[in-house]
Amino acid sequence: ATERDALVAIYRESKGPNWLNSQGWLNVSIPHCRWYGVICDDSGDKVEALELADNHLTGVLSSAICDLRYMATIDISNNLLSGLLPACVMSAMTALTELHAKYSGLTGPVPSMAQSRLQVLQLTGPMTGSGEFGWPTDIGKATRLETIELIQFELRGSLSDALAELSDLTSLRALYLDQPRKVGFHGPFPDAPVSIANSTAAYQVISRLEQLSLSLHPLNCSLPGYLLSGLYELYLQGTNLNGTVPAIASSAPRRITLLDVADNPKLGGPIAASLLRLPELIFLYVDGCGFEGPLPLDICERLPSLIWMSAGNNRIDGALPPCFFNSTQSKLQALSLSFNRLVGNLPQELSTKKLKYLGLRGNRLNGSIPFHYLHMESMQAIDLSSNLFTGIEYLTTTAGSGPERPTYIVNCTTPKRMARVDVGHNPFNSSLDFAQLLKCLAPTALALDNLSMSSIPDALWTSEDVRVLSLSYNNLTTLPSLSEDLPSRISFLDVSYNQLTGSVNSPIPYVSYIGNVRMMVDDTGLLWNGAGTMQNLYSNYSCYIVQNSLTGNLAFIPPGYNAFKHCNCLPSFVGHPSPPTGCRPCPLHGTCQQANGTVVQWSRGYYPMFSQHGLEGLLPCTLGESGLNQSNCCPSGDCAVVFDQTDCANCQLCAHGSGGRMCTKCQCDSASPLDSECHVMVGNNCEQCLTPRIYLSVAGGVIFAVIVLALLVTYIRARFSTVDHGIVMITDSGTFKVLLVFAQITAALNYTRPMWMLTYQMRWLNASSGQTQGLGLACLWHWLSEPFHEQLALALLVPLTCAVIGAFVLVLWAYGYFKDALFPRHYDLLSPPPSYVVFSNQSAITSGTYEDGADDDSSISGATAEDGESDTPAHDEAGTPDDDPHAMDFKMIVVKQESNAWELWQWCQRAWIWVLYFFYFGLTSAALAPLNCVPDPFNSGDSYVQTLPWLQCYTDSGWRRLVALSSVMLLGYTVAISALFGALLYQYHKKRDDVSKREHWRTLLSPLLSCYRTGMHGFELVMISRRVVLAILITLIGERSEFRAVAIVMVMLCALVIQLQLKPFLRRRDNALEVLAIGLILATFVAQNSVQNLQASQYGEYNHLTSKAEALLLIMSASNLVLIAVMIGITLWPVFHWF
């Protein structure tokens, strides 16, 4: 394509017909080098520059721009484009040296700059960078860069680390990173090295700079002295600087010409210190700081080059230095010292002809205002309001012939034209001579507020020069009427807060009547003109102007007179001006430009926080490494609510649930529950039900169900004793119990990192405690997305499972009753057979017929030697001797018994106990979760459930219903199961001396007893207590609480010590596995908690990890999975050996 074709494509795709200037474009008779904004080389055929700034470009920037391969400069600043910057701009345009795209409207990530040859880069958000610190990817490889300007970018992280990434940019001289969105860089600045050889990479970057701007970054640090000596321009406005301005070494250069440290209230100290020892300083901005003390009389000698000084809103006191007003001593053109503590009179001597602006508002200056200050030749605007001046000294006679007392002008032949004069809010002791004032002055704007005026003098009313007249806070009762004899050129009149009466009928085009409570305002004969809104009268809202339908004149009236019905919030605010709501600042990450400031809109990756008063704010979703641009929180990027909404029911993935607090409740739209509109939680992300990952979860559940069904069929067809023995060998194994407890605790405690491990692997551990989060079941049963329904399903899981087991046993018994081939002899199901043996000790085995013709204990006993272990149990020195009649090492011996019906009943009882044991931890955690209410992060006074952040506590009826169900679960499961297990173990302890009942209790309680050695049969209560305490700590205490972390570590350490001391399990292997499991849980928790705390302190709300931290967490998570796999293998191996 030719260069002309490329320009045509740019014109069409950026809506060329709507440009402000498109002269020559697409005209076939005009060479493209003569089109507006196109600059070619001397030959006239190669485009070298495209300068279309401020030209109302819309649409997108065509990728055809890359066909202009000789172009060196692109300037598309201040336009309304959309879409991305073409990637080829950075990679293919090898001649491009300057890219100016500030406020161009372009969005999205900036392409990689690895191949860029740019020297000047100017970009503005909402463009984003994909690099670690929020700036463009590979910006550190664009080694030719001399100027970088990234305004409103999402910069983040440590300033020193970020600067170190630019260490290869040896030509970089100007770095402008103003107005960061969201977080910004945090300090401190790099330390100054002892020698240049020992300097850090970040310091070397700063040392090469000439201009540095970091305005509005939360640096929170002190100001290093080398910045003042090395830079020419330094902008640090609103960066939370603290301390004092450091002194500069006498040998150090002092090159700085512009210093802006305004709006840093913690930065201060005596104004006469090192701040005023910068001889090259031309512009000084220190407004809103903490500087104090008097200005030294020799300030002009210290700052001989100073042209502009703005030091308002400090604590500067004393008198004004006379040198400011002496043309031979000062070059000042603008001086602003408003809102300080200056005292005394204005210096009488005034010989400067350079001062154009003088702002002394809000001090304690007194005496008379010398008229020559107002009539100064160079003066364009002067503000002396809100002081203690008693009048204006119009006439001054000659007090001497010396230079210190010059003769003042008495008669003004030509009035001095000025932009603005403000002498209001001073206690003048006499009326002003307006005729004399306006004879010598011709101000465009004149402010005479709060001067106790009762009427408007004709001289003001008929002035030929005054266009804006402010007379607020006086005692005016009427306004002059206009006539041919009394014309007025005033276009804006502020008579607010006076004593005016009557109706609105202004002869002036624009009038403000605010605060005149005696005035009558109605809509009769008035129109509300929306085209002219007054935005500077109110801080956060604007009101339509009253327009007289007869005269066409406009007037500003008090908004409350019409209940604010003609008022709207400003674009940066939301709400309605009327009390009590008022207009509030637009939430961070939101835009408030729709529907006259009543609607808040936000982009992808953010969720809303509601309170009973409406929307409180927007926060980024927690997404691990996936980033906001892949978030399913507000995936369309155009979520919006009205300011007083308390939920967002129609924003499916913008605000979930009744309170819409966080993008963590993923559910289906009840109105149209299609799979494409259904989402479930996977890790910390909301995912559509149609995604392959969800298919995998559901398919896994189906496969599991098929396997269970196949086992049941096998169970029915096979002989009962063989299968029952295999099940008992698994469930009575100490390894299986260690595996279950480990899986449940590590799934509840160590679930945060790394995200891919959690998403694909660790989430399956939730099934170990009956949890279903992230498994995709809500895709099949949509009602599970509601917390109460999910809690109810979990509460009913135990009784339903027990009922299914009981029904299954009854079916088997009935099947055997009618099929003599399977059960040849029958007994009552609830009565023991005449003869049975299930357990044996080491010394004796009760007689019985071994199944499958086995003739020795080792071939059928559950205590067969495996993995090289001896059959002899592991006892410590405190163990019970073999001749103790109670020292029975429980060994399951499968025998042919007289009644298979009784065997079925025993199996059913053991299964019920295992169901209770299996679901105990999950039920306890689920029952406690709704009780953990945490404060709203926006301090709205509300609280919400930490694990269900969309659900408000106390005020939400859904929460009360959930708490009621949780209370039933706590009593029915947590308390009742603990009491039941304790009572059963107590009964066994009482009945163990009764030989006739001992075997029955051993069989019944084998899930609680068989894995423990003699004397440790009550250790199960210790295991239960540990699970309850951990459930309370994990569920009821916030994740960021230091107490939670310390308490969990202490509990796990106590469990480890108890395990090492008591060795409660029968096998050495089980004791070793329990020690390893506790230690791995503890190590994983400590590692994840440490990394999270470090991450939060360095990156705030962002989720970035170093490669070392990521590797550590990956190793810990993988270790958990490996240990689980090993224990599963150990548990199943005896069964494989048996069959």
Side-chain angles (χ1 to χ4, degrees):
T2 65
E3 290 191 337
R4 188 184 184 96
D5 294 335
L7 291 172
V8 171
I10 294 171
Y11 178 85
R12 290 174 175 171
E13 294 188 37
S14 61
K15 306 296 189 287
N18 297 327
W19 291 3
L20 297 179
N21 190 339
S22 58
Q23 183 178 357
W25 282 79
L26 304 191
N27 191 325
V28 295
S29 62
I30 300 178
H32 64 271
C33 288
R34 292 171 54 192
W35 293 355
Y36 172 79
V38 179
I39 301 175
C40 295
D41 62 357
D42 295 337
S43 63
D45 59 352
K46 297 178 181 178
V47 177
E48 288 188 337
L50 186 62
E51 298 182 354
L52 295 174
D54 300 288
N55 203 33
H56 199 264
L57 274 65
T58 57
V60 298
L61 182 62
S62 174
S63 59
I65 195 172
C66 299
D67 293 334
L68 304 174
R69 58 184 183 276
Y70 300 107
M71 187 157 58
T73 302
I74 298 177
D75 190 352
I76 52 173
S77 303
N78 301 318
N79 281 290
L80 300 174
L81 293 167
S82 59
L84 304 176
L85 178 71
C88 57
V89 172
M90 296 296 184
S91 59
M93 302 186 71
T94 56
L96 188 66
T97 59
E98 296 186 18
L99 175 59
H100 305 272
K102 291 196 303 181
Y103 304 104
S104 62
L106 295 176
T107 61
V110 179
S112 172
M113 299 186 63
Q115 303 177 26
S116 172
R117 298 189 177 185
L118 284 175
Q119 297 176 10
V120 177
L121 175 66
Q122 293 181 335
L123 302 175
T124 307
M127 300 183 75
T128 59
S130 303
E132 178 182 358
F133 302 102
W135 45 31
T137 305
D138 297 325
I139 191 173
K141 297 180 181 180
T143 56
R144 298 189 180 188
L145 279 173
E146 299 176 2
T147 298
I148 298 176
E149 187 170 355
L150 302 177
I151 309 300
Q152 298 178 0
F153 263 61
E154 297 180 5
L155 303 175
R156 55 185 175 266
S158 167
L159 175 62
S160 297
D161 294 342
L163 291 176
E165 192 171 297
L166 307 180
S167 58
D168 292 335
L169 307 186
T170 55
S171 299
L172 187 63
R173 295 297 180 265
L175 184 61
Y176 299 93
L177 306 173
D178 298 335
Q179 305 173 38
R181 287 190 293 162
K182 299 181 181 177
V183 179
F185 290 137
H186 63 79
F189 287 94
D191 293 331
V194 178
S195 63
I196 194 64
N198 298 325
S199 61
T200 62
Y203 177 82
Q204 292 178 13
V205 172
I206 290 184
S207 66
R208 291 192 291 262
L209 292 177
E210 295 177 354
Q211 293 93 28
L212 174 62
S213 181
L214 296 170
S215 294
L216 302 184
H217 285 265
L219 298 179
N220 292 306
C221 63
S222 58
L223 181 67
Y226 63 78
L227 292 179
L228 302 179
S229 62
L231 294 169
Y232 287 105
E233 296 180 8
L234 177 61
Y235 303 86
L236 296 175
Q237 179 185 1
T239 52
N240 295 335
L241 295 176
N242 51 56
T244 60
V245 177
I248 303 176
S250 58
S251 60
R254 305 183 185 196
R255 303 186 300 178
I256 193 162
T257 60
L258 187 150
L259 176 61
D260 184 356
V261 291
D263 300 324
N264 286 289
K266 296 181 181 179
L267 177 69
I271 190 70
S274 57
L275 181 63
L276 302 182
R277 295 185 181 276
L278 303 170
E280 301 298 326
L281 193 64
I282 298 175
F283 299 94
L284 176 63
Y285 302 92
V286 292
D287 302 87
C289 294
F291 293 106
E292 58 188 14
L295 293 170
L297 296 178
D298 61 345
I299 184 174
C300 300
E301 297 178 8
R302 300 187 186 189
L303 302 175
S305 304
L306 193 64
I307 291 178
W308 195 293
M309 179 177 181
S310 184
N313 199 18
N314 280 275
R315 296 189 295 274
I316 302 173
D317 54 25
L320 281 169
C323 69
F324 280 155
F325 309 100
N326 191 312
S327 59
T328 61
Q329 300 179 24
S330 174
K331 298 179 181 180
L332 269 180
Q333 297 181 15
L335 176 64
S336 175
L337 294 172
S338 297
F339 300 105
N340 278 285
R341 302 173 183 178
L342 298 174
V343 296
N345 300 331
L346 292 175
Q348 288 291 333
E349 182 180 356
L350 186 64
S351 61
T352 180
K353 296 182 180 181
K354 301 173 182 178
L355 194 61
K356 297 179 181 179
Y357 171 75
L358 178 62
L360 299 174
R361 181 186 183 93
N363 282 280
R364 302 172 185 174
L365 299 171
N366 52 34
S368 297
I369 301 174
F371 183 70
H372 52 283
Y373 273 81
L374 307 178
H375 199 265
M376 193 184 310
E377 179 180 353
S378 59
M379 187 69 70
Q380 298 178 3
I382 186 170
D383 186 353
L384 302 176
S385 62
S386 301
N387 278 279
L388 303 176
F389 294 118
T390 57
I392 297 177
E393 187 179 359
Y394 291 104
L395 306 176
T396 305
T397 58
T398 301
S401 59
E404 67 278 6
R405 296 291 292 174
T407 301
Y408 301 128
I409 300 175
V410 177
N411 297 317
C412 303
T413 57
T414 303
K416 171 68 176 66
R417 295 193 175 275
M418 300 180 67
R420 182 169 181 262
V421 175
D422 189 348
V423 293
H425 297 282
N426 278 293
F428 287 173
N429 52 21
S430 62
S431 299
L432 293 176
D433 186 347
F434 292 104
Q436 178 67 29
L437 178 67
L438 298 177
K439 181 180 180 181
C440 296
L441 294 180
T444 302
L446 179 61
L448 301 171
D449 306 293
N450 195 19
L451 296 180
S452 302
M453 298 171 58
S454 58
S455 62
I456 301 180
D458 291 345
L460 289 178
W461 195 248
T462 60
S463 171
E464 293 288 330
D465 302 294
V466 177
R467 296 293 185 268
V468 178
L469 180 60
S470 180
L471 300 173
S472 63
Y473 293 96
N474 281 284
N475 297 320
L476 304 177
T477 56
T478 59
L479 295 178
S481 58
L482 290 182
S483 64
E484 294 182 359
D485 298 330
L486 194 61
S488 178
R489 297 182 180 274
I490 297 175
S491 58
F492 178 85
L493 174 64
D494 184 0
V495 287
S496 57
Y497 300 99
N498 278 279
Q499 307 296 323
L500 299 175
T501 59
S503 60
V504 175
N505 186 14
S506 169
I508 306 298
Y510 295 89
V511 184
S512 174
Y513 294 104
I514 296 173
N516 291 276
V517 297
R518 299 181 182 180
M519 294 193 70
M520 179 182 65
V521 180
D522 55 42
D523 291 344
T524 304
L526 299 175
L527 300 177
W528 295 90
N529 182 6
T533 56
M534 185 60 185
Q535 297 185 0
N536 61 341
L537 283 181
Y538 319 107
S539 59
N540 52 18
Y541 64 93
S542 61
C543 296
Y544 291 161
I545 302 169
V546 176
Q547 183 180 35
N548 191 303
S549 59
L550 299 177
T551 65
N553 293 329
L554 304 177
F556 304 107
I557 65 168
Y561 289 177
N562 289 277
F564 295 88
K565 68 179 181 180
H566 301 293
C567 302
N568 297 309
C569 296
L570 294 179
S572 58
F573 295 85
V574 66
H576 192 273
S578 60
T581 57
C583 294
R584 297 173 293 173
C586 188
L588 185 64
H589 314 305
T591 56
C592 304
Q593 299 180 355
Q594 299 184 27
N596 299 322
T598 61
V599 174
V600 181
Q601 182 177 350
W602 61 94
S603 58
R604 185 173 190 171
Y606 297 93
Y607 63 86
M609 299 290 289
F610 290 102
S611 71
Q612 59 183 344
H613 306 296
L615 182 68
E616 292 292 339
L618 299 163
L619 293 177
C621 298
T622 303
L623 294 172
E625 294 82 7
S626 59
L628 296 177
N629 56 345
Q630 283 85 38
S631 170
N632 277 298
C633 288
C634 183
S636 60
D638 58 353
C639 300
V641 295
V642 178
F643 72 96
D644 56 355
Q645 277 186 235
T646 57
D647 58 36
C648 189
N650 296 326
C651 302
Q652 179 180 327
L653 286 181
C654 304
H656 305 288
S658 60
R661 288 182 171 273
M662 189 177 285
C663 189
T664 52
K665 180 181 179 183
C666 299
Q667 62 183 5
C668 300
D669 184 2
S670 59
S672 55
L674 303 176
D675 283 346
S676 60
E677 299 174 358
C678 295
H679 292 73
V680 296
M681 281 302 299
V682 177
N684 286 331
N685 292 302
C686 295
E687 294 209 358
Q688 285 188 338
C689 287
L690 290 178
T691 59
R693 191 179 306 174
I694 302 303
Y695 275 140
L696 179 63
S697 299
V698 178
V702 173
I703 294 173
F704 177 77
V706 171
I707 293 175
V708 171
L709 182 62
L711 290 176
L712 292 179
V713 174
T714 304
Y715 186 90
I716 295 175
R717 296 176 60 113
R719 284 168 294 191
F720 176 82
S721 297
T722 302
V723 179
D724 177 61
H725 179 58
I727 295 175
V728 171
M729 289 178 68
I730 293 175
T731 57
D732 288 359
S733 166
T735 305
F736 181 72
K737 183 164 293 187
V738 173
L739 167 64
L740 177 63
V741 174
F742 172 74
Q744 289 181 344
I745 294 178
T746 197
L749 194 60
N750 301 319
Y751 58 89
T752 56
R753 284 291 190 164
M755 184 60 65
W756 72 267
M757 180 67 77
L758 168 66
T759 302
Y760 292 98
Q761 313 293 339
M762 294 287 282
R763 64 191 176 95
W764 288 96
L765 298 184
N766 287 326
S768 64
S769 57
Q771 303 296 316
T772 61
Q773 291 87 345
L775 301 184
L777 297 183
C779 293
L780 300 178
W781 300 288
H782 298 155
W783 51 269
L784 282 177
S785 62
E786 171 59 37
F788 179 80
H789 294 159
E790 184 183 22
Q791 191 89 318
L792 182 61
L794 190 60
L796 295 176
L797 194 58
V798 169
L800 289 177
T801 305
C802 291
V804 169
I805 294 173
F808 178 68
V809 170
L810 288 175
V811 169
L812 289 181
W813 176 78
Y815 181 79
Y817 186 83
F818 292 105
K819 298 292 183 179
D820 293 339
L822 181 62
F823 297 118
R825 301 184 66 179
H826 312 288
Y827 294 92
D828 181 68
L829 182 63
L830 301 181
S831 300
S835 174
Y836 68 95
V837 174
V838 180
F839 290 95
S840 173
N841 65 353
Q842 294 294 325
S843 60
I845 302 176
T846 305
S847 62
T849 304
Y850 297 127
E851 191 164 281
D852 296 333
D855 57 0
D856 65 301
D857 180 39
S858 63
S859 65
I860 59 177
S861 171
T864 54
E866 50 183 292
D867 300 331
E869 291 188 0
S870 171
D871 288 344
T872 305
H875 294 287
D876 55 15
E877 296 178 358
T880 308
D882 289 340
D883 56 359
D884 188 340
H886 303 303
M888 304 292 288
D889 295 324
F890 295 107
K891 309 293 180 180
M892 176 59 69
I893 307 299
V894 179
V895 298
K896 283 189 177 296
Q897 299 181 10
E898 298 294 335
S899 172
N900 283 35
W902 173 250
E903 195 173 353
L904 280 172
W905 175 240
Q906 288 181 325
W907 182 87
C908 180
Q909 291 174 317
R910 294 198 305 269
W912 284 345
I913 290 179
W914 259 115
V915 167
L916 297 179
Y917 192 88
F918 177 84
F919 289 109
Y920 182 78
F921 183 77
L923 290 171
T924 301
S925 300
L928 291 171
L931 304 179
N932 185 12
C933 295
V934 297
D936 192 304
F938 287 93
N939 298 319
S940 63
D942 296 330
S943 59
Y944 61 94
V945 181
Q946 178 168 323
T947 55
L948 306 172
W950 61 90
L951 191 60
Q952 286 183 334
C953 297
Y954 312 114
T955 58
D956 196 311
S957 59
W959 178 81
R960 292 192 292 269
R961 186 173 58 163
L962 194 61
V963 168
L965 178 59
S966 298
S967 302
V968 174
M969 292 175 63
L970 286 173
L971 293 175
Y973 293 133
T974 306
V975 178
I977 292 176
S978 302
L980 175 63
F981 286 174
L984 290 174
L985 291 173
Y986 177 72
Q987 286 296 320
Y988 167 74
H989 182 75
K990 289 180 59 178
K991 304 295 184 181
R992 65 176 183 169
D993 293 330
D994 188 343
V995 178
S996 62
K997 298 181 179 180
R998 182 171 60 207
E999 298 299 334
H1000 168 71
W1001 282 98
R1002 286 175 180 169
T1003 304
L1004 174 64
L1005 300 181
S1006 63
L1008 304 179
L1009 299 174
S1010 59
C1011 63
Y1012 297 112
R1013 64 182 178 83
T1014 303
M1016 289 292 157
H1017 298 149
F1019 190 78
E1020 190 59 52
L1021 296 179
V1022 177
M1023 297 283 287
I1024 291 176
S1025 300
R1026 186 211 306 173
R1027 297 166 79 191
V1028 171
V1029 173
L1030 286 175
I1032 293 174
L1033 293 175
I1034 295 172
T1035 308
L1036 291 186
I1037 303 178
E1039 294 182 10
R1040 298 295 183 186
S1041 171
E1042 295 182 0
F1043 171 77
R1044 176 182 186 267
V1046 173
I1048 290 175
V1049 170
M1050 294 302 297
V1051 169
M1052 297 307 297
L1053 286 177
C1054 290
L1056 185 61
V1057 171
I1058 292 174
Q1059 173 63 32
L1060 291 172
Q1061 291 296 320
L1062 298 182
K1063 300 181 178 65
F1065 290 99
L1066 182 65
R1067 292 181 178 275
R1068 292 190 183 96
R1069 176 190 63 205
D1070 296 338
N1071 286 311
L1073 286 174
E1074 176 69 354
V1075 171
L1076 183 59
I1078 295 175
L1080 188 55
I1081 291 174
L1082 184 58
T1084 306
F1085 175 73
V1086 171
Q1088 292 196 359
N1089 199 63
S1090 301
V1091 170
Q1092 281 184 337
N1093 291 338
L1094 178 63
Q1095 172 191 3
S1097 63
Q1098 291 187 350
Y1099 298 105
E1101 63 186 75
Y1102 293 92
N1103 230 352
H1104 295 271
L1105 289 179
T1106 63
S1107 57
K1108 292 183 180 179
E1110 190 71 30
L1112 173 62
L1113 297 184
L1114 176 61
I1115 292 173
M1116 300 307 299
S1117 298
S1119 300
N1120 281 262
L1121 298 179
V1122 169
L1123 180 59
I1124 289 174
V1126 170
M1127 287 193 285
I1128 291 176
I1130 294 174
T1131 303
L1132 296 179
W1133 175 251
V1135 178
F1136 296 147
H1137 177 73
W1138 170 261
F1139 285 104

